[in-house]
């Protein structure tokens, strides 16, 4: 029962992330030979082979990969438990994990976090960027304690409190020389359907991905981030909706054009959200600072 330890799981995690025994040993403060010996002893105790040699590389066996994947859940649970105990003891979280939606003005968010850290420099901040349903899912799954800029619609139940941060306006943007610029406006869906649509992947892991204003198109070009989407549309690869504040400088420079589209909602309502069960003082202070901020989405 004691052969699978957190030390073993942390070692496997480091090997996979760093790509080699030597790099993992450096991260863990061990010499490579000691790490290799440790893995061999665990293999003997478990009665399984965790790695197989392929040339100079050591690759996970199916058993090793399964142990790593399941073990990471235990490592996350142990880390979360440690943080909960420290929070109960002091009232302040040792670390705040935050999901920031890609539509948020990052400079303003960082300015608020800087104010928070000036008051509480001992709190570690861990930020991830999410798209569409990703921020809500990260909050529901307890991967983060706070979601900044999660877009409507709000999920029902789940013990979540959500407060409005503001409304972001999107525009339909194309390259300045795109054929759509020569058509009468407002554009109809049949006009747009003749061209490729640039879409940012929803960062949800397990839920049904959400997409906004896809229209009824058959040709898509997928990207991972909003800046990639902007550059794809500026290059003329495709068309789509973007935050007005990102497009206006390029329109002024003559590189992009904003076109009217018929019967499409161009507003995104963004929310600050957290679980009401999280009562740490750091979360309370940061949410107050964020709600006091007049975020500019124009």
């Amino acid at each position: 029962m004691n052969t699978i330890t957190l030390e073993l799981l942390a070692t496997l995690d480091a090997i996979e992330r760093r790509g080699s025994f030597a790099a993992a040993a450096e991260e863990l403060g061990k010499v490579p030979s000691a790490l290799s010996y440790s893995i061999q002893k665990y293999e003997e105790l478990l009665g399984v082979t965790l790695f197989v040699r392929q040339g100079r590389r050591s690759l996970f066996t199916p058993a090793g990969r399964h142990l790593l994947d399941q073990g990471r859940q235990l490592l996350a649970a142990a880390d979360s438990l440690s943080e909960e105990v420290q929070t109960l003891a002091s009232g302040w979280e040792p670390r705040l994990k935050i999901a920031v939606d890609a539509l948020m003005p990052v400079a303003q968010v960082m300015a608020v976090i800087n104010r928070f850290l000036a008051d509480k420099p001992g709190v570690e901040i861990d930020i991830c960027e999410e798209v569409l349903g990703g921020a809500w899912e990260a909050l529901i799954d307890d991967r983060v304690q706070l979601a900044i800029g999660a877009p409507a619609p709000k999920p029902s139940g789940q013990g979540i409190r959500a407060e409005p941060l503001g409304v972001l306006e999107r525009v339909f943007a194309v390259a300045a020389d795109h054929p759509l610029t020569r058509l009468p406006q407002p554009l109809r869906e049949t006009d747009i359907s003749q061209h490729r649509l640039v879409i940012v992947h929803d960062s949800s892991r397990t839920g049904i991905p959400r997409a906004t204003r896809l229209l009824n198109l058959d040709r898509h070009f997928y990207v991972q981030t909003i800046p990639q989407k902007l550059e794809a549309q500026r290059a003329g690869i495709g068309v789509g909706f973007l935050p007005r504040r990102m497009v206006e400088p390029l329109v002024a420079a003559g590189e992009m054009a904003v076109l009217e589209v018929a019967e499409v909602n161009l507003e995104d309502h963004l929310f600050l959200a957290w679980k009401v069960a999280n009562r740490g003082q750091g979360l309370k202070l940061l949410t107050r600072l964020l709600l006091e901020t007049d975020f500019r989405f124009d």
Side-chain angles (χ1 to χ4, degrees):
M1 291 296 293
N2 296 323
T3 52
I4 297 178
T5 66
L6 292 178
E7 179 184 18
L8 168 62
L9 301 178
T11 300
L12 297 179
D13 175 66
I15 292 170
E16 198 272 341
R17 285 187 295 100
R18 298 300 299 272
S20 70
F21 275 52
E26 180 183 12
E27 177 179 312
L28 297 171
K30 298 181 179 181
V31 296
S33 59
L35 188 144
S36 297
Y37 177 76
S38 174
I39 291 295
Q40 291 172 9
K41 294 303 294 183
Y42 277 118
E43 288 180 324
E44 293 174 8
L45 290 169
L46 290 168
V48 299
T49 301
L50 300 176
F51 292 91
V52 62
R53 297 290 297 182
Q54 187 178 86
R56 292 187 173 184
R57 300 176 61 198
S58 293
L59 303 179
F60 281 95
T61 63
R65 172 60 62 179
H66 182 72
L67 181 58
L68 170 64
D69 292 341
Q70 298 299 311
R72 278 177 166 162
Q73 298 181 33
L74 295 177
L75 288 172
D79 187 48
S80 178
L81 178 60
S82 175
E83 292 178 1
E84 288 174 8
V85 170
Q86 293 179 58
T87 301
L88 286 171
S90 67
W92 290 88
E93 305 90 329
R95 178 171 61 171
L96 283 174
K97 290 171 282 188
I98 303 168
V100 180
D101 188 85
L103 295 176
M104 285 297 295
V106 177
Q108 281 191 278
V109 172
M110 293 304 174
V112 175
I113 292 176
N114 186 47
R115 288 170 55 202
F116 171 84
L117 291 175
D119 189 45
K120 291 297 175 182
V123 178
E124 186 176 274
I125 301 293
D126 184 354
I127 288 179
C128 64
E129 183 179 79
E130 301 290 347
V131 179
L132 294 173
W136 292 116
E137 183 181 275
L139 185 62
I140 291 169
D141 293 347
D142 294 317
R143 297 198 305 271
V144 300
Q145 296 137 290
L146 184 65
I148 304 176
K154 298 181 289 183
S156 59
Q158 310 290 344
I160 291 174
R161 178 175 175 182
E163 295 290 339
L165 282 180
V167 179
L168 177 140
E169 183 185 2
R170 295 200 200 215
V171 293
F172 187 76
V174 302
D177 58 353
H178 196 278
L180 283 175
T181 61
R182 297 188 287 273
L183 295 183
Q185 298 180 48
L187 299 174
R188 299 166 299 171
E189 184 174 329
T190 53
D191 299 325
I192 300 171
S193 64
Q194 307 302 314
H195 302 276
R196 188 181 296 109
L197 189 70
V198 182
I199 302 172
V200 181
H201 277 292
D202 189 325
S203 60
S204 300
R205 299 181 185 180
T206 58
I208 298 174
R210 295 192 292 177
T212 59
R213 309 180 192 87
L214 288 188
L215 304 175
N216 187 21
L217 301 182
D218 297 324
R219 290 188 292 169
H220 300 146
F221 182 83
Y222 288 96
V223 294
Q224 293 292 333
T225 67
I226 295 291
Q228 288 175 357
K229 176 177 168 65
L230 175 68
E231 292 304 323
Q233 291 177 214
R234 176 161 68 165
I237 292 174
V239 301
F241 297 90
L242 284 163
R244 179 180 290 279
R245 71 173 187 277
M246 296 181 67
V247 175
E248 284 184 336
L250 297 176
V251 172
E255 298 181 43
M256 296 191 75
V258 170
L259 307 178
E260 293 183 37
V261 179
E263 300 179 354
V264 174
N265 176 28
L266 295 173
E267 291 186 342
D268 282 307
H269 293 261
L270 305 182
F271 294 88
L272 182 69
W274 64 96
K275 284 191 174 179
V276 294
N278 293 336
R279 302 177 183 273
Q281 295 301 310
L283 181 64
K284 290 181 180 179
L285 174 59
L286 184 55
T287 53
R288 179 173 63 80
L289 293 175
L290 288 164
L291 290 172
E292 290 173 352
T293 301
D294 182 18
F295 285 102
R296 298 188 61 85
F297 297 106
D298 53 7

